[in-house]
Amino acid sequence: MSGQRLQTQFSMIYNRFDGKDADTNLETMADIFCCTRRNARMVLNKMAEQGWLSWEPAVGRGKQSRLTFHRSDSDLQMRRVRKWVQEGKLDAALEELDNDAAKLARLIQEQLGVSTQEGKQIIRLPYYRSFPTLNPAKPLRRSEQHLVSQIFNGLTRLNETNEKVEADLAHHWESITDTHWRFYLRPAVKFHDGTLLSAEDVIWSINAMTGSPYFSHIRHIEAPAENVVDFFLSRPDVRFAETLAVPMASIQSHKAAKSKDADAFPVGTGPYRIVENNRRHLVLKAHDQYFGYRALTDEIEIWVLDSAAMCYLQPTASLDPTALDSRQGALQSAANERLEIDEGCDYLLLNRKTGIAKDKRWADYLCQRVSSLFLLPHLAERGIGEYRLTNAYGLVPGWIHTKTARQDVLPPSKSKLRLAHQADNPLFPLLAAALKDMLDEDGVELEIHTVPYEEMMQPTNPKKVDIWLCGMSLGSKKHDAILPWLMNFDHVSSAMPEGEFEALIEKMAAWRAQKNESFNAESLGRLLVESSQIVPLFHIWQGVVDGQELEDVASNRVGWFDFKSVWKKPSV
């Protein structure tokens, strides 16, 4: 018997008796349910098991049984609606509430934030998209970078406060030569599935990365002894411990990575393990056998709410990471905002390798004609005011590398350009449409395509794209933080002339060989912009909104907070 049907039958008897306790008999109940006496008895027993009512059958012919209600019809209706809200069936919930959006908003709101259930602390957060891929070996967006840091460990990690390299799965390391590094693994580290971390897991995880230019200098990896891993490099890297302190170098379970759902349910060693991941919920539970300090918060639930559901929410939800999509709606109380400009920007990547920008005239036209200033009037017509944006003149805040914008520059010819932007981003359709309007004024047609983020970073047919609209977030203020973004996947190399990209690889290799020299990231950023390779558009504000329910909340570089460190102070 379905729960929905049982609730409907409860409503029938509740309304029949006006919600009042009554003396009745089994024949009357069978008539109400339109069933046999035997089935009526089964239905009443089911309701009693649920705690909705009590049924005390009479002993003796002609005597009345006693029906006592413990729940009202409205109680069960709200129970039903809450279940639909949890399942993401908001249209059904709204209809059940007679299309009262305010009631629906309160129901969504009451289930978000911080709660304690059976002694466990749970944080529920709203978000605007799901997380089908949490595999650290694949391209990661800003929020996925954060989640991976909660699920996995690397051999080393960066301290988010001082941005210094620290021990993680490796408790010690040494540079035997500039091209031979040795890492010593912590003993008895357990993955989320209970299996022990081994050197083979480390070797497999890092070998999977060596196809990218960032890790291509790793020539060979071996395990000379238990819990010891040796790396042999083709070129010197005096900062190799820092090179490994990126999300992409997280260590996975080799065995679990072979499963068919490894992208959605990857197995790591971190403070949280994934127990549910679908289009409506991501649920993380504390890993009780974590080798570090056990997480203070027992469970993190991220509820995926679509745009309509987000509109129901009021700006009072604590720890609301909807700020991560740059919207102002959740960011009203200045006293509780912990925001900063993201270390990155939204930008246009011109295809100077196989696209129309291979023609320098087109590259120059697009770099001079397209600017955030000229886009703003078109964006204003599309309600861009609800987003927190600021004009970008370089790849990261503070860099000023863009060319002087001009409205009088003309395209080389009337033509059609093909633009691709990443899916599941509420801002990019607005940016693409504004760009289309602006180019239409010059007689240039813009054909817009939406692609998954993985396709943005690893394009399968770059010849079909002239412009990519994308966003980057470095997650760090370190001078060399630009290198993983630039080198890890094929995003930039697919659009950049081969000789120019090879020159960037040489710059990285030369810097890695120098011990006391900081990386000149600004010169590299200037080169990318002044060569008409990248057109910076906007920086965004990101961070968390704190309802002051939790202790030790601090926004990190990608706008979230460290789940394992926050906690709710008990009432005493």
Side-chain angles (χ1 to χ4, degrees):
M1 181 181 296
S2 70
Q4 178 63 51
R5 183 183 176 191
L6 193 65
Q7 290 186 34
T8 300
Q9 290 171 319
F10 179 83
S11 296
M12 294 166 63
I13 61 171
Y14 189 86
N15 293 327
R16 173 68 175 269
F17 294 101
D18 294 325
K20 297 178 180 178
D21 301 342
D23 292 324
T24 183
N25 54 56
L26 201 56
E27 287 79 3
T28 301
M29 306 306 288
D31 289 341
I32 296 173
F33 296 145
C34 297
C35 66
T36 65
R37 290 177 56 186
R38 179 174 180 273
N39 285 338
R41 185 182 295 108
M42 291 174 57
V43 170
L44 291 169
N45 288 338
K46 285 282 187 183
M47 293 179 184
E49 289 173 6
Q50 296 288 332
W52 301 348
L53 52 74
S54 295
W55 174 256
E56 300 174 24
V59 178
R61 184 181 297 273
K63 293 191 176 180
Q64 298 283 76
S65 300
R66 183 64 178 171
L67 174 67
T68 305
F69 291 105
H70 302 310
R71 295 286 186 274
S72 68
D73 190 28
S74 60
D75 289 339
L76 265 62
Q77 180 198 40
M78 294 307 294
R79 174 190 174 124
R80 184 164 59 247
V81 171
R82 285 189 175 92
K83 185 173 184 293
W84 285 340
V85 168
Q86 289 180 340
E87 294 174 349
K89 299 176 181 177
L90 299 183
D91 291 339
L94 188 60
E95 183 178 353
E96 184 78 7
L97 294 172
D98 297 324
N99 293 308
D100 189 330
K103 283 185 179 179
L104 179 58
R106 287 194 294 272
L107 283 176
I108 297 174
Q109 199 80 59
E110 74 180 23
Q111 298 193 54
L112 299 174
V114 188
S115 65
T116 301
Q117 296 180 9
E118 298 179 354
K120 294 184 177 181
Q121 292 192 355
I122 299 172
I123 299 176
R124 294 192 180 98
L125 305 170
Y127 204 59
Y128 68 97
R129 60 177 176 84
S130 60
F131 305 93
T133 299
L134 289 170
N135 184 340
K138 294 191 174 182
L140 300 175
R141 295 171 65 172
R142 179 188 297 114
S143 294
E144 280 82 348
Q145 289 180 39
H146 170 72
L147 292 170
V148 160
S149 74
Q150 305 293 301
I151 298 165
F152 292 93
N153 299 99
L155 291 176
T156 59
R157 68 184 176 200
L158 286 179
N159 184 301
E160 290 187 349
T161 302
N162 59 28
E163 296 189 328
K164 301 292 185 183
V165 67
E166 292 182 343
D168 206 2
L169 290 176
H171 64 87
H172 180 72
W173 56 87
E174 56 188 339
S175 173
I176 296 174
T177 70
D178 285 350
T179 57
H180 180 191
W181 284 73
R182 176 167 290 168
F183 290 79
Y184 299 87
L185 304 181
R186 297 180 189 275
V189 173
K190 288 190 176 182
F191 284 108
H192 298 149
D193 60 6
T195 60
L196 287 173
L197 169 74
S198 69
E200 286 70 27
D201 294 304
V202 174
I203 293 171
W204 179 86
S205 297
I206 303 301
N207 271 334
M209 306 293 101
T210 54
S212 78
Y214 188 72
F215 295 106
S216 61
H217 63 320
I218 299 176
R219 178 170 52 86
H220 176 64
I221 314 173
E222 64 180 41
E226 187 177 1
N227 292 329
V228 179
V229 180
D230 279 3
F231 291 81
F232 298 91
L233 312 179
S234 59
R235 306 185 70 160
D237 186 351
V238 298
R239 302 174 181 83
F240 188 61
E242 293 182 44
T243 298
L244 295 178
V246 294
M248 190 180 179
S250 298
I251 306 304
Q252 302 187 60
S253 163
H254 182 197
K255 179 181 177 181
K258 296 177 181 178
S259 67
K260 63 180 181 179
D261 57 354
D263 283 352
F265 292 88
V267 175
T269 57
Y272 286 94
R273 57 187 176 90
I274 304 172
V275 297
E276 182 179 348
N277 188 9
N278 54 49
R279 57 187 295 270
R280 286 299 179 185
H281 296 102
L282 172 67
V283 179
L284 306 178
K285 286 191 177 180
H287 177 30
D288 290 333
Q289 295 178 309
Y290 179 52
F291 65 88
Y293 290 115
R294 198 267 193 191
L296 299 176
T297 297
D298 298 282
E299 188 171 314
I300 304 292
E301 295 183 14
I302 298 177
W303 285 25
V304 181
L305 304 176
D306 57 23
S307 297
M310 284 293 195
C311 292
Y312 294 134
L313 288 176
Q314 303 299 315
T316 55
S318 64
L319 300 168
D320 186 354
T322 53
L324 290 170
D325 71 0
S326 316
R327 295 184 183 232
Q328 292 185 5
L331 305 175
Q332 300 293 327
S333 174
N336 293 332
E337 291 179 11
R338 302 184 182 188
L339 308 176
E340 60 182 58
I341 296 181
D342 186 25
E343 286 295 309
C345 68
D346 295 331
Y347 61 89
L348 299 179
L349 174 67
L350 307 186
N351 189 349
R352 296 173 56 234
K353 191 173 185 178
T354 57
I356 202 167
K358 186 176 181 180
D359 184 335
K360 188 176 184 302
R361 296 174 303 163
W362 273 101
D364 289 342
Y365 161 73
L366 290 169
C367 282
Q368 293 180 61
R369 179 70 175 93
V370 179
S371 75
S372 55
L373 289 174
F374 296 157
L375 277 175
L376 282 173
H378 299 283
L379 288 170
E381 296 173 3
R382 288 176 164 76
I384 199 66
E386 67 174 310
Y387 288 85
R388 289 182 173 244
L389 305 176
T390 185
N391 296 333
Y393 302 102
L395 288 177
V396 300
W399 291 0
I400 303 177
H401 299 151
T402 53
K403 298 179 180 180
T404 303
R406 293 172 53 190
Q407 287 184 300
D408 60 344
V409 64
L410 297 176
S413 63
K414 307 297 183 183
S415 187
K416 177 188 287 187
L417 306 185
R418 293 158 297 183
L419 177 141
H421 70 77
Q422 69 190 53
D424 299 322
N425 185 301
L427 176 59
F428 286 167
L430 301 177
L431 290 177
L435 182 61
K436 179 178 174 63
D437 288 349
M438 193 175 74
L439 294 181
D440 278 346
E441 297 174 355
D442 293 355
V444 176
E445 183 181 350
L446 189 66
E447 185 180 285
I448 300 172
H449 301 274
T450 303
V451 299
Y453 183 71
E454 191 168 338
E455 174 68 19
M456 293 290 295
M457 296 294 105
Q458 296 176 309
T460 53
N461 198 345
K463 292 181 179 180
K464 291 187 175 181
V465 179
D466 294 305
I467 305 171
W468 284 273
L469 168 60
C470 198
M472 54 96 84
S473 179
L474 302 183
S476 170
K477 290 182 178 291
K478 289 176 82 271
H479 293 295
D480 58 310
I482 195 172
L483 291 176
W485 163 76
L486 184 65
M487 300 290 179
N488 264 345
F489 298 102
D490 302 328
H491 179 55
V492 177
S493 61
S494 293
M496 194 174 200
E498 289 183 10
E500 293 184 23
F501 191 76
E502 287 294 329
L504 297 184
I505 294 177
E506 288 301 314
K507 284 181 181 290
M508 177 178 67
W511 170 73
R512 282 175 167 175
Q514 304 297 318
K515 287 188 176 180
N516 299 313
E517 186 175 325
S518 62
F519 186 72
N520 192 345
E522 185 171 2
S523 68
L524 191 151
R526 181 182 298 278
L527 185 152
L528 291 172
V529 174
E530 292 185 349
S531 67
S532 303
Q533 189 65 64
I534 286 181
V535 181
L537 296 178
F538 297 101
H539 304 302
I540 69 169
W541 290 91
Q542 45 82 47
V544 295
V545 180
D546 175 14
Q548 297 183 341
E549 293 183 74
L550 291 177
E551 306 294 323
D552 300 330
V553 177
S555 178
N556 60 22
R557 296 294 188 196
V558 290
W560 289 73
F561 57 94
D562 185 16
F563 295 157
K564 71 178 183 298
S565 300
V566 297
W567 58 289
K568 182 178 181 180
K569 187 178 294 185
S571 300
V572 292

